[in-house]
Amino acid sequence: MIGIVATLSIKPEHADEFVAMFLELTAKVREEAGCLLYQLCRKREAEGVFVVMELYADQAAVDLHMGTEYFKAFSKQVGSLVAGRPVIEQFDAVTG
Amino acid sequence: MIGIVATLSIKPEHADEFVAMFLELTAKVREEAGCLLYQLCRKREAEGVFVVMELYADQAAVDLHMGTEYFKAFSKQVGSLVAGRPVIEQFDAVTG
C-alpha cells in the first residue's frame, strides 16, 4: 500500500473555485480500482493551503490515477489557481 | 471531519522497534469511536522518517484519542526512540 501527501498552495481568492474543482475530481478518483483514500483537507492557520491524503493499493494504482485523462485535465486547469508549486510526498504504508 | 498529518523522526537504529510499538498502538486507536483512519507510512528517501495519516469524525474524537491511557503511555515510551520533535499538523477535511 502506498501513501501520498500532496500539499497545494492556492491563491486565497481562488480557494472556493479550487474546492469545487477538487471535489469533482475526488468523485472520479474514488471510483478508481486501487484507490483506497482520497481526502482533501484545508489548513486552518494558512489561508489557501490544502493537503490531500491519498492511499493506493500499489504502484499500479498510483500510475493508473496519474494517467487518467481527468487527472491530467485537472492538473492543467489548476495551474491558474495555484500560488506555488505543489509538494508531493510518497510513502510506503506500514501494514505490519 | 478532522485530518491530522503527524511527522515523526525516529533514530534509524530504533526504526524496527518503533514500527512494532506503533502497530500495537494502531490496533487500539482503530477501535476508538470516531477514528476513521490511522495509517503509519514510511518515507522512502529519508531513513527513520514516518508520517501518520489520521482522520477523525470531529474534535471530540481527536480529544478522546489524545486522552487515552495507551496513547499517553505510547507518547512517553517513544521519547527514547525519536531523533527530533514530532510535527503535528491539523486540518479540516473538506467534504463538499
Side-chain angles (χ1 to χ4, degrees), chain A residues 1-4 33-36 55-65 90-92, chain B residues 44:
Chain A
M1 189 159 62
I2 291 173
I4 292 177
C35 176
L36 307 172
L55 285 170
Y56 298 89
D58 51 27
Q59 187 60 46
V62 175
D63 296 344
L64 183 151
H65 166 65
Q90 191 162 326
F91 303 91
D92 292 312
Chain B
R44 289 178 182 175

Side-chain angles (χ1 to χ4, degrees), chain A residues 40 42-43 89 92 94, chain B residues 40 42-43 89 92 94:
Chain A
L40 179 65
R42 188 171 200 152
K43 193 152 181 162
E89 290 191 286
D92 292 312
V94 181
Chain B
L40 180 65
R42 190 173 201 152
K43 194 152 181 160
E89 289 192 287
D92 292 310
V94 181

Side-chain angles (χ1 to χ4, degrees), chain B residues 37-95:
Chain B
L37 175 73
Y38 202 75
Q39 181 59 57
L40 180 65
C41 294
R42 190 173 201 152
K43 194 152 181 160
R44 289 178 182 175
E45 322 79 53
E47 216 192 346
V49 179
F50 294 84
V51 300
V52 192
M53 293 189 197
E54 308 175 38
L55 285 171
Y56 299 90
D58 51 27
Q59 187 60 48
V62 175
D63 296 344
L64 184 152
H65 167 65
M66 300 288 191
T68 59
E69 287 310 315
Y70 53 81
F71 183 71
K72 289 188 217 168
F74 170 84
S75 300
K76 261 190 203 166
Q77 252 191 303
V78 81
S80 60
L81 310 182
V82 300
R85 290 182 67 83
V87 178
I88 316 286
E89 289 192 287
Q90 192 163 324
F91 303 91
D92 292 310
V94 181
T95 50

